Amino acid sequence: MAQLATAKEDDAAKAAGRASGRKPFRLSTLMSIVGTTPMILTAVGVFVICILYSFVLSFTNSRIFPAFGAENFVGTDQYARLWSTGRWLVSVNNIWFFGLLSIAANMTAGYLLAVFMDQRIRAEDLFRSIFLYPFAMSLVITGLVWRWILDPNYGIQATVRGLGFEDFRFAPLVSADTAIYGLVVAGIWNGVGVTMAIMLAGLRGVDSEIWKAAKIDGIPTWRTYLFIVLPMMRGAILTAFILQCVGVVRVFDLIVAMTQGGPGIATQMPAVFVIQHITDRSNVGLGMAAATMMLLPVVVLLGLQVFVQWRANQAKGKAS
């Protein structure tokens, strides 16, 4: 009944609009505006205003509490100090190393798993749930599980030694040279499932005529997947890539749960640097400068996504 009343009111609005020569204002439009206003206000308040607030704080010498007095503004001093801080430079190097390894492994393994799932195997739903399960878990839980697995007293090393191999050594987290590899393994375990799901959706979206044409031409299946289907999955690949990049930039829980940034500062990451300077080190200004630097790659990625979508829309417009 409510829908019928709304439809009648919309029809009345259209008739009134036609009579007056103005564009009619529909009641459904007003309801949509009212319904989305809280979410719009939340998004603007939480994201836009908070980002601007953090950006302004990065130009101050705020310590424990924000300080906006004229004497507190120090220009770009916090950025200069940031890039001369050894801990931050180590964090940047680590995030590049961790990001390149984990993203490359996640994209490759995710696509291979998607190809495996695309073979219409039995119990596909079960395997999909198993692969996606790590992504559904908290990164803290993931980090704790892998810390125990890689712990020399409880994990793989202790198990193998219990089987009689007394000289076996496998404890990457206790060494500054190998600790980051343990983080990479945990990151891959957490992210490969969702990459597989996105890639599988892309594979299932490929026109079946492509497969038929490839079979008629006698193209091997592996070449079809690699050289014909994969380039057609640009949207799925870009989505998975951006999701992985954003996950790398904001990685925090995994580091805290597994290594606390150690041994020493061997596994320090930008997000850990920001939190430690805001809380433990009481240097809000420097922490906000680091947070602003973390925002830059995210903005670049979003700009890249918008550009790719714009190019795709332009291509569709020319084709039609």
Side-chain angles (χ1 to χ4, degrees):
M1 293 297 290
Q3 293 178 349
L4 181 61
T6 302
K8 289 182 177 178
E9 291 171 355
D10 285 346
D11 292 340
K14 289 178 182 177
R18 285 194 295 268
S20 62
R22 294 178 299 176
K23 188 176 181 180
F25 184 82
R26 299 180 178 180
L27 181 60
S28 57
T29 303
L30 176 61
M31 294 173 66
S32 301
I33 295 173
V34 172
T36 55
T37 296
M39 183 56 68
I40 294 172
L41 293 176
T42 302
V44 172
V46 173
F47 295 105
V48 179
I49 295 178
C50 288
I51 288 174
L52 292 176
Y53 184 74
S54 302
F55 182 66
V56 173
L57 273 178
S58 69
F59 294 100
T60 69
N61 59 0
S62 301
R63 303 295 297 183
I64 300 177
F65 300 105
F68 294 105
E71 70 279 7
N72 299 113
F73 278 90
V74 294
T76 58
D77 288 359
Q78 295 290 15
Y79 291 93
R81 182 183 175 190
L82 178 69
W83 286 102
S84 62
T85 302
R87 183 182 290 265
W88 172 253
L89 297 179
V90 170
S91 301
V92 174
N93 288 333
N94 284 340
I95 200 71
W96 276 106
F97 189 79
F98 174 82
L100 290 175
L101 280 184
S102 61
I103 290 174
N106 271 326
M107 298 296 287
T108 304
Y111 183 66
L112 293 177
L113 285 175
V115 171
F116 167 70
M117 298 290 289
D118 195 43
Q119 307 309 308
R120 310 293 179 180
I121 60 174
R122 291 182 179 179
E124 179 182 325
D125 293 340
L126 174 63
F127 279 107
R128 189 188 296 123
S129 300
I130 292 174
F131 293 143
L132 276 174
Y133 181 70
F135 186 73
M137 294 176 62
S138 164
L139 279 173
V140 175
I141 303 300
T142 299
L144 289 175
V145 169
W146 278 99
R147 191 177 74 181
W148 291 332
I149 292 174
L150 301 177
D151 191 305
N153 298 314
Y154 306 104
I156 295 175
Q157 177 174 303
T159 303
V160 175
R161 287 189 175 185
L163 297 175
F165 300 94
E166 296 294 336
D167 295 331
F168 180 78
R169 293 181 179 275
F170 187 74
L173 296 185
V174 301
S175 169
D177 296 328
T178 58
I180 196 163
Y181 294 103
L183 298 177
V184 170
V185 172
I188 294 171
W189 186 76
N190 179 264
V192 72
V194 68
T195 305
M196 178 274 299
I198 295 172
M199 295 285 192
L200 183 61
L203 282 175
R204 296 284 166 81
V206 174
D207 193 342
S208 60
E209 296 298 324
I210 300 294
W211 293 102
K212 293 178 182 177
K215 285 184 178 179
I216 292 173
D217 292 340
I219 301 175
T221 304
W222 69 271
R223 292 189 64 181
T224 306
Y225 271 113
L226 191 59
F227 297 112
I228 299 177
V229 173
L230 187 60
M232 299 176 68
M233 296 169 50
R234 289 191 292 271
I237 294 172
L238 184 62
T239 301
F241 178 73
I242 290 177
L243 195 61
Q244 291 293 331
C245 289
V246 172
V248 167
V249 170
R250 63 181 178 86
V251 61
F252 172 78
D253 302 5
L254 191 68
I255 311 302
V256 171
M258 290 186 70
T259 63
Q260 295 281 342
I265 58 171
T267 57
Q268 185 80 201
M269 295 287 180
V272 179
F273 181 94
V274 171
I275 298 300
Q276 287 181 343
H277 278 75
I278 293 175
T279 56
D280 301 340
R281 296 171 181 266
S282 301
N283 195 335
V284 173
L286 188 61
M288 289 299 104
T292 302
M293 297 309 301
M294 289 177 60
L295 181 64
L296 289 180
V298 177
V299 173
V300 171
L301 287 172
L302 291 176
L304 177 64
Q305 185 180 26
V306 171
F307 176 74
V308 170
Q309 289 179 345
W310 177 77
R311 288 289 302 271
N313 293 333
Q314 291 290 318
K316 287 182 179 178
K318 292 180 179 178
S320 61

